[in-house]
Amino acid sequence: MTDPAQHPRPHPAQPPHSPDDPAAPYSGYARMRSGCPVQALAADGPSAAGPGSYLVTGYDEARQALADPRLSKDTAAFFADKPSQRQLHPAVARTMLATDPPEHTRLRALVTRAFSTGAVARMRPYIASVTEELLDRWPVRGRVDLVADLAVPLPVTVICELLGVPEADRAEVRIWSAELFAAGQPERIDAASHALADYLSALIAARRRAPGDALLDQLIAVRDGSDRLTEEELLSLSVLLLVAGHETTANFLGNAVLALLLHPDELAGLIREPARIPDALDELLRFDAPVSTATFRYAAEPLTLGGVHIPAGAPVLVAPGAANRDPLRFASPDRLDLTRDASGQLGFGHGIHRCLGAPLARAEGEIALRALLARFPGLRLAVPADQLAWRRTRLMRGLVSLPLQTG
């Protein structure tokens, strides 16, 4: 455990993972963490949630923060008396992620069953068939984009199928979802939030007229039957499930394949022994987490974290990507080691807000990697790694594209 006495109150710092340097955040995180695992951010920092905000980069401190009930996620309460120029749709601004118990507990219980281990196991044949269909389109010898040709369409197809989004609408839905993470472009984010929420509102109305057996139909039945969901909650849950149901997996697949290609010995080991893939997922998630910074929290009361006093009302940002590279938790953290026990990695979060779709994301990752390495063992980068483009988003860490040669 980190000794709090070793860490005095830090000077305000600029977070290293920003839209200006999305390709190489980890050395900057290491510098910040070595000074103090909890940093007060400069008020004008690119990732600052506002004056007096804090960034958590240490593993022990991140794990504590993610589970600490004194760090609230009730953004409606936080921003209630703060004027804003933003025009986010309420269904996007206030999802289940932006609530505390007991409201969060009630909402999460309504959808947990759909992402249980058993439910995901029943979905595995469908996930495998979608994966094979996508890989069937790849040339035996030629150039592909792993992001556009597998990492994005696989989880988008699966979550849309689960929810009941028609196939003809899925490409547009994916665009709106990606726009929600356009860092530094609030107008685009706001516009996308309304486009996506309006679309799902119309889809809910259509499914009421012609119900089926998709997850969205089940949520509508809860709303219209026992009134356990308000109409606003129904819409916000739909938005959250659609967006969160594919963004993390899409980023993870791109990051994981790139990490393997940059570590050929580890890649060769998985090709020789594909049965190791399920156990390798945690290390791949740890090495380059698909979530750079967890969603917004604030101190509902004063607390001490990592030896740093955080006053009531201060925004707190937890960086799982930084915590997963903490040498106090993972030896030689900048080395990819698929034999490592990385089961404590925070790529899916921790505590009551841990990623609801983690079992589904794991299944998609395992199935996709297994099929990809079996069918294209000679896969290699088509461009130098330093020429790859990373998404400019503060929450997610993922590639814009990953050009590959298949043989």
Side-chain angles (χ1 to χ4, degrees):
M1 297 289 288
T2 305
D3 180 5
Q6 296 177 353
H7 301 295
R9 182 176 176 85
H11 295 293
Q14 297 284 6
H17 181 55
S18 75
D20 299 321
D21 185 24
Y26 296 111
S27 59
Y29 277 142
R31 287 192 299 272
M32 294 181 71
R33 189 175 51 243
S34 65
C36 182
V38 180
Q39 289 278 346
L41 298 179
D44 59 349
S47 291
S53 58
Y54 293 79
L55 179 69
V56 182
T57 57
Y59 178 87
D60 288 341
E61 295 75 17
R63 188 177 172 89
Q64 177 185 336
L66 291 171
D68 195 323
R70 296 172 297 176
L71 290 175
S72 173
K73 300 205 73 181
D74 188 352
T75 54
F78 179 83
F79 289 109
D81 59 350
K82 299 174 178 63
S84 174
Q85 302 300 315
R86 298 299 302 276
Q87 299 295 325
L88 275 173
H89 193 287
V92 175
R94 185 170 174 79
T95 68
M96 181 175 67
L97 289 180
T99 61
D100 295 330
E103 183 180 1
H104 173 268
T105 307
R106 175 177 62 87
L107 294 173
R108 187 175 176 109
L110 295 175
V111 290
T112 296
R113 187 179 302 174
F115 297 95
S116 67
T117 302
V120 170
R122 291 189 291 273
M123 294 177 63
R124 288 179 68 93
Y126 177 73
I127 297 170
S129 69
V130 173
T131 302
E132 294 296 338
E133 288 175 9
L134 290 168
L135 293 179
D136 284 344
R137 303 170 191 171
W138 287 27
V140 176
R141 295 182 183 276
R143 182 160 167 159
V144 297
D145 176 2
L146 182 116
V147 172
D149 300 331
L150 180 65
V152 168
L154 172 60
V156 167
T157 300
V158 171
I159 195 62
C160 285
E161 184 73 15
L162 180 63
L163 280 171
V165 176
E167 186 173 353
D169 300 339
R170 294 172 185 177
E172 197 165 27
V173 163
R174 163 59 190 168
I175 293 171
W176 293 327
S177 175
E179 291 283 278
L180 292 178
F181 299 95
Q185 301 182 65
E187 296 84 4
R188 285 175 59 190
I189 297 173
D190 292 349
S193 75
H194 284 270
L196 186 58
D198 289 348
Y199 168 79
L200 284 171
S201 182
L203 181 61
I204 288 170
R207 304 291 296 199
R208 277 198 175 105
R209 293 191 296 269
D213 58 359
L215 178 56
L216 188 56
D217 299 295
Q218 297 170 28
L219 294 176
I220 291 170
V222 170
R223 158 63 183 155
D224 295 348
S226 57
D227 199 30
R228 293 168 63 197
L229 280 175
T230 67
E231 191 70 16
E232 292 76 16
E233 289 171 340
L234 171 61
L235 181 57
S236 70
L237 265 180
S238 303
V239 169
L240 176 62
L241 292 171
L242 184 60
V243 175
H246 71 269
E247 282 287 345
T248 301
T249 306
N251 291 322
F252 165 63
L253 283 173
N255 296 359
V257 171
L258 175 60
L260 290 171
L261 292 174
L262 294 178
H263 297 79
D265 290 343
E266 300 292 339
L267 174 59
L270 285 191
I271 292 174
R272 287 193 306 269
E273 301 178 73
R276 293 174 50 205
I277 290 175
D279 291 335
L281 295 179
D282 275 318
E283 173 64 358
L284 290 167
L285 282 160
R286 182 205 68 80
F287 184 75
D288 205 357
V291 177
S292 290
T293 307
T295 49
F296 181 89
R297 286 169 169 77
Y298 73 94
E301 61 183 82
L303 69 145
T304 299
L305 187 63
V308 175
H309 173 74
I310 298 176
V316 176
L317 305 173
V318 182
N324 281 343
R325 296 283 189 108
D326 187 342
L328 294 179
R329 174 61 178 83
F330 299 104
S332 303
D334 296 328
R335 177 169 60 90
L336 181 70
D337 178 4
L338 297 185
T339 66
R340 182 200 308 268
D341 178 5
S343 56
Q345 58 81 24
L346 300 176
F348 288 129
H350 176 64
I352 64 170
H353 287 281
R354 187 177 186 274
C355 178
L356 179 69
L360 178 59
R362 284 183 177 277
E364 291 169 335
E366 177 201 335
I367 291 168
L369 288 175
R370 191 184 294 271
L372 182 67
L373 300 186
R375 294 183 60 168
F376 300 97
L379 208 61
R380 63 187 188 277
L381 285 173
V383 299
D386 60 6
Q387 294 182 13
L388 295 172
W390 292 83
R391 294 178 64 187
R392 293 184 172 272
T393 163
R394 298 183 187 115
L395 289 178
M396 298 291 183
R397 173 165 169 77
L399 292 154
V400 173
S401 64
L402 183 56
L404 303 175
Q405 288 293 136
T406 58

